Amino acid sequence: MTQYESEIKRRRTFAIISHPDAGKTTLTEKFLLYGGAIAQAGQVKGKKNTRAATSDWMEIEKQRGISVTSSVMQFQYDGFCINILDTPGHQDFSEDTYRTLMAADSAVMVIDAAKGVEAQTRKLFKVCAMRDIPIFTFVNKMDRETRDPFELCEELEKELGIDTYAMNWPIGCGKEFKGVYDRQNRKVIHFTSNTNAKAATATEIEVNDPALADLIGEAKHSQLVDEIELLDGASCDFDMERVRHGKLSPVFFGSALTNFGVEPFLEEFLRMTTAPLPRRAGEQVVDCFDEDFSAFVFKIQANMNKAHRDRIAFMRVVSGRFDAEKEVYHMQGAKKMRLSRPQQLMAAEREIIEEAYAGDIIGVFDPGIFSIGDTLCAPSKKFLFDPIPTFAPEHFMRIRSIDTMKRKQFLKGVEQIAQEGAIQIFKTPYTGMEEVIVGVVGTLQFDVLEYRLRSEYNVELYKEGLPYEYLRWVVREDEDAEPLKEEDLLLPNDAKLVEDYKGNQLLLFASQWSIQWVTERNKGLVLAEFGGAKF
Ligand code: G4P
């Protein structure tokens, strides 16, 4: 194996997904601690604050104590080069959160053991599942009172439609959380409470060693023996192929805060998860080992530095090696270029880098030329990666400039912000150019939009909330067919036909019921939940 191949093979690029407060930050932090990327706990949270202070509109996130933007962190562990894509878990997350998942090759889903599957987990899971990437589950907070582990696994299967395979099994919970039973090695890992140290003190002991009953108590021991029997009899077989295709989720129990089961989880996860996955470009499949460099843009971050009003385009390297000296070809701009000031995030630090390999995420200074989904490749081998899907917003507003004289600035600003991917904009045949329907995934983006239009474009907004919560793309088999008109469709009062700025037609709905009503009454109408991508 060449050095180039081994560099790529040792890369692991994954996202951590969870509902807010399940322990995603704590778990990420423990990973970074084990990798030596940070020296003490608390630095990841600290980083959010430092970053928020770098630009004005991020003041909003600081004030609300949340992070709107997703970040990427790279660190080394046990020979692996790990890229963690952090997805904001707050209620006000944005479409960026979904798009970040497009750059990941697998996902770690953190579940609060007392709460089980929650709303945000469900949404993020759905996006991972549609790409069939491996999904690993970490059931966290076992040091607290929890729900029954069997019940939790059943809920995962029922709610998310994925099979589960418990890799380890918890022994007790709360103060009585003694450790886990490792099913593969048929051994118990007994933990001793240790909140501050890097890793928990763990002792391994055979399940049929008489000393185990002394260690965890008679009652726990016999319960464990019963549960192991139940597990072995009832659960499906472990099948690595099904894990690789996101059909079977390996489940681990532990506690991020007390370090119980975290390092064994990290090690197992790294062993099982995939090296950089290939990506589709039409008929072609671009493999990570292809010699030529290629990457796609999945996120654009404006105003990283207010003084320069700059934007950073984040791209995922799909194949080859990125060399800052070499020219690349930007397909959408039809231009050769050198990517300037490529950066990488290393835990709390932002670093200028000289090289990167398939699997890595790099941030490139963007003078306003990149859009979400753009392809960069070698000048000698041109192709286009399949587009990144557009995700349905869930909140809608009708907006215009209060001052009608500022229509031009208003439209320019709105279009620019939409191009960055923070919002989606729509029009109806009845509204003129002065009025726009804007849709967002999380309501915080409305505040961001208003703030940015005021500070960057000097436009004060008139806003009117709309009752819609669902958006569906109208699928046209025949691309040349005449666009649909509202009168062609049977629509209830709470549904509306709109168009995006690329000419796609979409329907807005106030309820799930309404979607069903429309699908049942309009034969031949095909609606899609995601826009613009093939899977
Ligand atoms: P998030 O990123 O998913 O939103 O969750 P985060 O890690 O910030 O954790 C949310 C809260 O849950 C934090 O407490 C954190 O300390 C706690 N927590 C995380 N993992 C565990 C665990 O394994 N066991 C227990 N008992 N608690 C856990 P907080 O009080 O909200 O924040 P902080 O003051 O501790 O920072």
Side-chain angles (χ1 to χ4, degrees):
M1 196 170 15
T2 64
Q3 197 232 346
Y4 165 76
E5 280 170 344
S6 70
E7 275 298 337
I8 294 177
K9 262 207 173 123
R10 71 188 193 95
R11 270 155 166 84
R12 297 288 182 273
T13 304
F14 61 93
I16 306 193
I17 60 172
S18 79
H19 190 79
D21 273 347
K24 180 167 57 70
T25 314
T26 313
L27 187 68
T28 310
E29 200 158 72
K30 293 295 156 81
F31 286 175
L32 296 176
L33 269 172
Y34 299 151
I38 56 171
Q40 73 204 51
Q43 290 190 353
V44 175
K45 285 194 174 170
K47 185 179 127 275
K48 283 184 189 168
N49 295 338
T50 335
R51 234 185 13 172
T54 58
S55 82
D56 250 2
W57 69 263
M58 284 189 193
E59 276 294 307
I60 301 173
E61 75 180 73
K62 205 169 86 184
Q63 280 161 15
R64 295 215 192 171
I66 54 169
S67 169
V68 208
T69 49
S70 327
S71 56
V72 190
M73 285 161 281
Q74 190 183 67
F75 69 98
Q76 315 282 327
Y77 179 86
D78 200 19
F80 291 100
C81 175
I82 299 161
N83 294 297
I84 297 188
L85 293 147
D86 186 21
T87 54
H90 192 271
Q91 195 61 26
D92 278 324
F93 73 153
S94 68
E95 216 187 321
D96 252 0
T97 319
Y98 292 144
R99 280 190 294 254
T100 297
L101 298 177
M102 298 297 120
D105 296 322
S106 62
V108 169
M109 175 165 70
V110 186
I111 302 277
D112 183 329
K115 296 190 175 146
V117 176
E118 297 175 86
Q120 215 110 308
T121 330
R122 226 171 270 131
K123 289 184 189 172
L124 294 164
F125 174 86
K126 209 166 162 182
V127 176
C128 295
M130 111 194 149
R131 287 188 50 222
D132 296 336
I133 56 173
I135 300 170
F136 296 78
T137 308
F138 186 77
V139 181
N140 190 30
K141 303 200 187 181
M142 288 306 296
D143 60 308
R144 287 206 188 151
E145 286 311 309
T146 67
R147 286 171 46 190
D148 175 56
F150 282 107
E151 197 187 298
L152 282 166
C153 290
E154 208 180 294
E155 182 175 291
L156 283 166
E157 302 203 347
K158 257 206 182 130
E159 287 254 348
L160 305 177
I162 188 169
D163 286 341
T164 60
Y165 185 92
M167 300 301 292
N168 64 23
W169 198 250
I171 304 167
C173 68
K175 286 198 178 70
E176 291 293 297
F177 181 41
K178 304 280 186 195
V180 290
Y181 165 66
D182 177 342
R183 288 183 70 196
Q184 270 174 325
N185 296 319
R186 305 195 81 78
K187 273 186 181 158
V188 165
I189 306 173
H190 178 253
F191 302 119
T192 324
S193 177
N194 204 344
T195 325
N196 296 319
K198 258 174 70 169
T201 318
T203 15
E204 280 189 17
I205 178 162
E206 298 283 341
V207 76
N208 45 17
D209 187 326
L212 182 61
D214 295 339
L215 212 56
I216 63 172
E218 274 296 341
K220 286 225 154 36
H221 184 235
S222 71
Q223 188 186 348
L224 177 67
V225 173
D226 288 350
E227 288 184 344
I228 292 174
E229 208 178 285
L230 205 63
L231 269 177
D232 290 346
S235 67
C236 57
D237 290 339
F238 182 78
D239 178 348
M240 199 58 209
E241 261 319 284
R242 297 190 66 221
V243 172
R244 290 219 169 94
H245 293 97
K247 303 291 175 236
L248 178 71
S249 178
V251 179
F252 298 78
F253 292 84
S255 158
L257 191 69
T258 56
N259 290 304
F260 284 10
V262 181
E263 202 159 14
F265 166 61
L266 177 63
E267 281 168 7
E268 272 298 292
F269 164 70
L270 291 173
R271 193 179 61 78
M272 286 199 268
T273 195
T274 160
L277 287 178
R279 293 291 196 277
R280 296 200 72 88
E283 295 300 300
Q284 208 178 327
V285 172
V286 183
D287 190 71
C288 60
F289 296 112
D290 284 0
E291 285 286 310
D292 294 312
F293 167 82
S294 71
F296 65 89
V297 177
F298 66 95
K299 171 185 161 80
I300 291 175
Q301 171 98 53
N303 290 7
M304 293 290 276
N305 180 344
K306 197 179 180 236
H308 299 102
R309 272 213 182 172
D310 63 353
R311 308 201 315 186
I312 300 282
F314 287 92
M315 42 189 89
R316 150 83 197 229
V317 182
V318 176
S319 64
R321 178 175 159 266
F322 166 74
D323 178 344
E325 293 302 310
K326 268 201 185 148
E327 278 195 318
V328 299
Y329 192 77
H330 176 216
M331 288 297 289
Q332 280 75 3
K335 241 186 170 157
K336 270 196 214 169
M337 61 170 69
R338 268 202 185 87
L339 298 176
S340 57
R341 300 207 331 247
Q343 315 180 353
Q344 208 163 49
L345 294 171
M346 194 76 80
E349 304 295 322
R350 197 173 281 280
E351 286 187 353
I352 303 285
I353 52 149
E354 295 302 322
E355 60 168 27
Y357 292 88
D360 287 345
I361 310 293
I362 52 175
V364 174
F365 171 71
D366 172 20
I369 53 172
F370 295 121
S371 288
I372 305 281
D374 280 8
T375 300
L376 288 113
C377 51
S380 57
K381 201 172 161 191
K382 295 175 192 161
F383 59 82
L384 281 171
F385 281 116
D386 285 2
I388 288 184
T390 314
F391 299 94
E394 292 170 25
H395 306 273
F396 298 88
M397 224 181 234
R398 195 193 301 280
I399 56 166
R400 61 179 155 80
S401 165
I402 290 179
D403 182 350
T404 48
M405 303 294 286
K406 292 193 174 152
R407 213 190 90 215
K408 260 197 178 152
Q409 289 101 302
F410 164 74
L411 277 179
K412 187 171 167 222
V414 168
E415 276 169 13
Q416 180 66 46
I417 296 167
Q419 191 206 345
E420 287 164 18
I423 56 167
Q424 288 179 41
I425 48 176
F426 311 98
K427 54 189 177 181
T428 69
Y430 314 109
T431 53
M433 286 296 277
E434 65 277 355
E435 213 171 61
V436 170
I437 292 177
V438 39
V440 296
V441 169
T443 50
L444 183 65
Q445 296 306 321
F446 284 140
D447 298 358
V448 172
L449 171 70
E450 190 171 17
Y451 184 92
R452 289 192 54 193
L453 283 175
R454 185 184 302 132
S455 65
E456 293 168 37
Y457 299 89
N458 201 16
V459 168
E460 286 295 332
L461 274 191
Y462 165 83
K463 307 180 297 186
E464 182 194 332
L466 296 171
Y468 310 112
E469 286 183 22
Y470 301 91
L471 179 76
R472 294 289 181 272
W473 278 260
V474 176
V475 181
R476 311 299 303 267
E477 293 299 337
D478 176 7
E479 300 210 340
D480 301 324
E482 280 287 300
L484 287 174
K485 296 196 192 72
E486 235 169 33
E487 24 317 357
D488 300 337
L489 295 168
L490 266 177
L491 294 180
N493 285 339
D494 62 355
K496 189 176 196 56
L497 183 68
V498 294
E499 234 176 58
D500 67 13
Y501 280 69
K502 288 180 189 150
N504 297 309
Q505 291 196 298
L506 309 100
L507 279 165
L508 295 175
F509 298 98
S511 64
Q512 282 279 14
W513 174 86
S514 181
I515 302 180
Q516 207 181 332
W517 194 95
V518 170
T519 339
E520 280 167 9
R521 281 174 182 69
N522 295 276
K523 294 285 169 237
L525 179 71
V526 184
L527 300 177
E529 211 174 323
F530 304 102
K534 293 182 230 126
F535 291 99

